[in-house]
Amino acid sequence: ERVIYSRRVALFGASHQETLRSGSNLTASLLDQELWDEAKSTLRDQLLPVARRTLEADHHLTLRLHERLADALQNTPDCTRADLRYQRDWADPISIPTQATTCWKPRPS
């Protein structure tokens, strides 16, 4: 995964959507291997700043990267309040509908 991500950075640049997707895959692999610190630094230093700048905060890939950072923080034994505060400070307020919506509808009798 590291090689693929590095090649995409060299070929397309760090801000290309396919590069960010490869970076997301890389961090998923790091999380699977329980390499929490490397996943956190890759997300914080390389992927999230670029994704937020180029794709914007509410893009599905940016949200996925935030999810991966949350997973890394949750599983880090020495996670501090400062780590959590950093994650919170990056989050943009997202409008939430005031009325509940449902995907389930009862069948007509």
Side-chain angles (χ1 to χ4, degrees):
E1 298 290 338
R2 286 183 185 100
V3 172
I4 294 170
Y5 175 68
S6 297
R7 286 182 182 169
R8 298 248 172 151
V9 169
L11 186 61
F12 299 122
S15 61
H16 193 275
Q17 188 169 344
E18 288 305 313
T19 303
L20 292 169
R21 189 179 326 276
S22 293
S24 178
N25 293 339
L26 169 61
T27 58
S29 295
L30 295 172
L31 293 172
D32 287 344
Q33 296 172 44
E34 299 182 2
L35 298 171
W36 317 121
D37 291 332
E38 187 175 350
K40 284 190 308 187
S41 66
T42 301
L43 286 160
R44 284 183 174 168
D45 301 338
Q46 297 174 27
L47 298 172
L48 274 168
V50 173
R52 291 175 55 81
R53 187 175 57 252
T54 60
L55 301 176
E56 301 197 7
D58 60 348
H59 189 276
H60 69 90
L61 188 52
T62 306
L63 296 173
R64 172 68 50 88
L65 294 171
H66 276 287
E67 180 183 19
R68 296 209 195 289
L69 179 57
D71 287 345
L73 291 172
Q74 177 183 357
N75 290 298
T76 302
D78 59 344
C79 182
T80 65
R81 286 181 183 246
D83 289 326
L84 299 176
R85 196 169 299 117
Y86 179 91
Q87 173 68 1
R88 186 194 69 213
D89 292 343
W90 268 96
D92 284 338
I94 298 174
S95 61
I96 299 172
T98 55
Q99 296 179 341
T101 58
T102 181
C103 296
W104 179 82
K105 293 182 182 179
R107 288 188 194 184
S109 302

Short mmCIF file of all heavy atoms in Angstrom, two decimals, residues 70-94:
data_model
loop_
_atom_site.label_atom_id
_atom_site.label_comp_id
_atom_site.label_asym_id
_atom_site.label_seq_id
_atom_site.Cartn_x
_atom_site.Cartn_y
_atom_site.Cartn_z
N ALA A 70 -10.48 8.70 13.63
CA ALA A 70 -11.21 8.38 14.86
C ALA A 70 -10.93 6.95 15.30
O ALA A 70 -10.75 6.69 16.49
CB ALA A 70 -12.70 8.60 14.64
N ASP A 71 -10.85 6.02 14.35
CA ASP A 71 -10.51 4.63 14.69
C ASP A 71 -9.12 4.55 15.30
O ASP A 71 -8.90 3.84 16.29
CB ASP A 71 -10.57 3.74 13.44
CG ASP A 71 -11.97 3.46 12.98
OD1 ASP A 71 -12.93 3.70 13.75
OD2 ASP A 71 -12.12 3.01 11.82
N ALA A 72 -8.17 5.26 14.71
CA ALA A 72 -6.80 5.23 15.22
C ALA A 72 -6.76 5.81 16.63
O ALA A 72 -6.10 5.25 17.52
CB ALA A 72 -5.87 6.02 14.30
N LEU A 73 -7.46 6.91 16.85
CA LEU A 73 -7.47 7.52 18.18
C LEU A 73 -8.15 6.61 19.20
O LEU A 73 -7.70 6.47 20.33
CB LEU A 73 -8.17 8.87 18.14
CG LEU A 73 -7.44 9.97 17.38
CD1 LEU A 73 -8.33 11.20 17.24
CD2 LEU A 73 -6.13 10.32 18.06
N GLN A 74 -9.24 5.99 18.80
CA GLN A 74 -9.98 5.12 19.71
C GLN A 74 -9.13 3.94 20.15
O GLN A 74 -9.23 3.50 21.29
CB GLN A 74 -11.24 4.62 19.03
CG GLN A 74 -12.05 3.65 19.87
CD GLN A 74 -13.25 3.11 19.13
OE1 GLN A 74 -13.53 3.50 18.00
NE2 GLN A 74 -13.96 2.22 19.75
N ASN A 75 -8.30 3.43 19.27
CA ASN A 75 -7.51 2.24 19.57
C ASN A 75 -6.12 2.53 20.12
O ASN A 75 -5.40 1.60 20.44
CB ASN A 75 -7.40 1.37 18.32
CG ASN A 75 -8.72 0.75 17.97
OD1 ASN A 75 -9.26 -0.03 18.75
ND2 ASN A 75 -9.27 1.10 16.83
N THR A 76 -5.76 3.80 20.23
CA THR A 76 -4.46 4.15 20.77
C THR A 76 -4.53 4.12 22.29
O THR A 76 -5.30 4.88 22.88
CB THR A 76 -4.03 5.55 20.30
OG1 THR A 76 -4.01 5.56 18.88
CG2 THR A 76 -2.65 5.91 20.83
N PRO A 77 -3.74 3.25 22.93
CA PRO A 77 -3.81 3.14 24.38
C PRO A 77 -3.44 4.44 25.10
O PRO A 77 -3.99 4.74 26.15
CB PRO A 77 -2.81 2.04 24.73
CG PRO A 77 -2.48 1.37 23.45
CD PRO A 77 -2.80 2.31 22.34
N ASP A 78 -2.53 5.21 24.54
CA ASP A 78 -2.08 6.43 25.21
C ASP A 78 -2.69 7.68 24.60
O ASP A 78 -2.11 8.76 24.63
CB ASP A 78 -0.56 6.51 25.20
CG ASP A 78 0.02 6.50 23.80
OD1 ASP A 78 -0.71 6.13 22.86
OD2 ASP A 78 1.20 6.85 23.65
N CYS A 79 -3.90 7.55 24.05
CA CYS A 79 -4.60 8.69 23.46
C CYS A 79 -4.89 9.72 24.56
O CYS A 79 -5.34 9.38 25.65
CB CYS A 79 -5.90 8.21 22.82
SG CYS A 79 -6.82 9.51 22.03
N THR A 80 -4.60 10.97 24.27
CA THR A 80 -4.79 12.03 25.26
C THR A 80 -5.96 12.92 24.86
O THR A 80 -6.47 12.86 23.75
CB THR A 80 -3.53 12.91 25.36
OG1 THR A 80 -3.35 13.58 24.10
CG2 THR A 80 -2.30 12.07 25.68
N ARG A 81 -6.34 13.78 25.78
CA ARG A 81 -7.39 14.76 25.48
C ARG A 81 -6.96 15.68 24.33
O ARG A 81 -7.77 16.10 23.54
CB ARG A 81 -7.74 15.59 26.70
CG ARG A 81 -8.52 14.83 27.71
CD ARG A 81 -8.85 15.74 28.89
NE ARG A 81 -9.54 14.98 29.88
CZ ARG A 81 -10.80 15.19 30.22
NH1 ARG A 81 -11.48 16.16 29.64
NH2 ARG A 81 -11.37 14.46 31.14
N ALA A 82 -5.68 15.98 24.28
CA ALA A 82 -5.16 16.83 23.20
C ALA A 82 -5.39 16.17 21.84
O ALA A 82 -5.72 16.83 20.87
CB ALA A 82 -3.69 17.13 23.42
N ASP A 83 -5.20 14.84 21.76
CA ASP A 83 -5.46 14.13 20.52
C ASP A 83 -6.92 14.26 20.12
O ASP A 83 -7.24 14.50 18.97
CB ASP A 83 -5.13 12.64 20.66
CG ASP A 83 -3.65 12.37 20.76
OD1 ASP A 83 -2.87 13.10 20.13
OD2 ASP A 83 -3.28 11.41 21.46
N LEU A 84 -7.80 14.08 21.09
CA LEU A 84 -9.23 14.17 20.80
C LEU A 84 -9.63 15.59 20.45
O LEU A 84 -10.46 15.81 19.58
CB LEU A 84 -10.04 13.66 21.99
CG LEU A 84 -9.79 12.20 22.37
CD1 LEU A 84 -10.56 11.85 23.63
CD2 LEU A 84 -10.14 11.28 21.23
N ARG A 85 -9.03 16.54 21.11
CA ARG A 85 -9.33 17.95 20.83
C ARG A 85 -8.91 18.30 19.41
O ARG A 85 -9.60 19.00 18.69
CB ARG A 85 -8.60 18.84 21.84
CG ARG A 85 -9.12 20.25 21.88
CD ARG A 85 -8.56 21.03 23.07
NE ARG A 85 -8.94 20.43 24.33
CZ ARG A 85 -8.07 19.93 25.21
NH1 ARG A 85 -6.78 19.96 24.98
NH2 ARG A 85 -8.49 19.40 26.34
N TYR A 86 -7.78 17.77 18.98
CA TYR A 86 -7.30 17.99 17.61
C TYR A 86 -8.34 17.49 16.61
O TYR A 86 -8.67 18.17 15.66
CB TYR A 86 -5.97 17.26 17.40
CG TYR A 86 -5.40 17.42 16.02
CD1 TYR A 86 -4.52 18.46 15.74
CD2 TYR A 86 -5.73 16.55 15.00
CE1 TYR A 86 -3.99 18.61 14.47
CE2 TYR A 86 -5.21 16.70 13.73
CZ TYR A 86 -4.34 17.73 13.47
OH TYR A 86 -3.82 17.88 12.22
N GLN A 87 -8.87 16.31 16.84
CA GLN A 87 -9.88 15.75 15.95
C GLN A 87 -11.12 16.64 15.96
O GLN A 87 -11.69 16.93 14.92
CB GLN A 87 -10.23 14.32 16.38
CG GLN A 87 -11.38 13.69 15.62
CD GLN A 87 -11.08 13.41 14.17
OE1 GLN A 87 -9.99 13.64 13.68
NE2 GLN A 87 -12.05 12.91 13.46
N ARG A 88 -11.55 17.09 17.12
CA ARG A 88 -12.74 17.92 17.21
C ARG A 88 -12.53 19.26 16.50
O ARG A 88 -13.42 19.75 15.82
CB ARG A 88 -13.10 18.16 18.68
CG ARG A 88 -14.42 18.91 18.84
CD ARG A 88 -14.60 19.45 20.23
NE ARG A 88 -13.64 20.52 20.42
CZ ARG A 88 -13.07 20.79 21.58
NH1 ARG A 88 -13.34 20.11 22.64
NH2 ARG A 88 -12.21 21.79 21.68
N ASP A 89 -11.35 19.84 16.65
CA ASP A 89 -11.08 21.13 16.03
C ASP A 89 -11.08 21.06 14.51
O ASP A 89 -11.38 22.04 13.84
CB ASP A 89 -9.73 21.69 16.51
CG ASP A 89 -9.75 22.07 17.98
OD1 ASP A 89 -10.86 22.20 18.54
OD2 ASP A 89 -8.68 22.22 18.57
N TRP A 90 -10.76 19.90 13.96
CA TRP A 90 -10.77 19.74 12.50
C TRP A 90 -12.17 19.61 11.96
O TRP A 90 -12.43 19.88 10.80
CB TRP A 90 -9.98 18.50 12.11
CG TRP A 90 -8.56 18.80 11.85
CD1 TRP A 90 -7.53 18.68 12.73
CD2 TRP A 90 -7.98 19.30 10.65
NE1 TRP A 90 -6.36 19.05 12.14
CE2 TRP A 90 -6.61 19.43 10.85
CE3 TRP A 90 -8.51 19.63 9.41
CZ2 TRP A 90 -5.76 19.89 9.88
CZ3 TRP A 90 -7.64 20.08 8.44
CH2 TRP A 90 -6.29 20.21 8.67
N ALA A 91 -13.10 19.14 12.77
CA ALA A 91 -14.45 18.87 12.28
C ALA A 91 -15.20 20.17 12.02
O ALA A 91 -15.19 21.07 12.84
CB ALA A 91 -15.19 18.02 13.29
N ASP A 92 -15.80 20.26 10.88
CA ASP A 92 -16.66 21.38 10.56
C ASP A 92 -18.07 21.05 11.00
O ASP A 92 -18.48 19.89 10.93
CB ASP A 92 -16.69 21.63 9.05
CG ASP A 92 -15.43 22.31 8.56
OD1 ASP A 92 -14.75 22.95 9.38
OD2 ASP A 92 -15.13 22.18 7.37
N PRO A 93 -18.80 22.06 11.42
CA PRO A 93 -20.20 21.76 11.73
C PRO A 93 -20.93 21.35 10.45
O PRO A 93 -20.79 22.00 9.43
CB PRO A 93 -20.73 23.07 12.28
CG PRO A 93 -19.73 24.11 11.96
CD PRO A 93 -18.44 23.43 11.63
N ILE A 94 -21.63 20.26 10.54
CA ILE A 94 -22.38 19.77 9.40
C ILE A 94 -23.86 19.92 9.75
O ILE A 94 -24.28 19.56 10.84
CB ILE A 94 -22.05 18.30 9.10
CG1 ILE A 94 -20.57 18.17 8.72
CG2 ILE A 94 -22.94 17.73 8.01
CD1 ILE A 94 -20.10 16.76 8.55
#
